[in-house]
Amino acid sequence: MGWRARGWTGPWPGRGPFSNLPPWQRPGWLYGRGACWYLYWPYRATVPPIKAEDEAALLTEQKTIIEEQLKAMQETLKKIQERLNELNK
């Protein structure tokens, strides 16, 4: 029926497990909304360990992708340098 004001007891507004911290130090501020659930919740699902063979294949694939990106960036840098040289002449 009536509205009841709820104050806070600490120096920072809000209630919950991180109410003693200023807002900019709370997990939600640093890692996004709901971060306390997936970072600190004790009953969250655990990730199964990766087999060594699968990890090696994954790392090899990532290395290939990064090398391709590096080549593309080097080509772009080369084009930019050529254009800058044209403009400076």
Side-chain angles (χ1 to χ4, degrees):
M1 293 288 239
W3 180 78
R4 196 167 59 159
R6 294 185 189 181
W8 60 78
T9 58
W12 308 106
R15 295 177 298 279
F18 300 102
S19 60
N20 61 324
L21 297 175
W24 56 88
Q25 291 181 351
R26 294 180 187 175
W29 185 288
L30 295 172
Y31 304 109
R33 188 177 184 132
C36 59
W37 287 101
Y38 60 83
L39 289 176
Y40 301 107
W41 188 251
Y43 304 109
R44 67 181 184 268
T46 57
V47 178
I50 299 174
K51 296 179 184 176
E53 304 85 28
D54 295 338
E55 185 177 8
L58 179 65
L59 291 174
T60 304
E61 182 180 343
Q62 288 177 344
K63 180 184 173 188
T64 305
I65 292 170
I66 291 172
E67 287 173 346
E68 290 173 1
Q69 289 177 344
L70 181 61
K71 288 179 186 177
M73 290 170 64
Q74 288 173 341
E75 291 173 7
T76 304
L77 180 61
K78 184 179 176 182
K79 291 177 184 177
I80 290 171
Q81 287 293 338
E82 290 172 356
R83 182 65 179 147
L84 284 172
N85 291 337
E86 289 176 10
L87 293 173
N88 286 334
K89 288 183 180 182

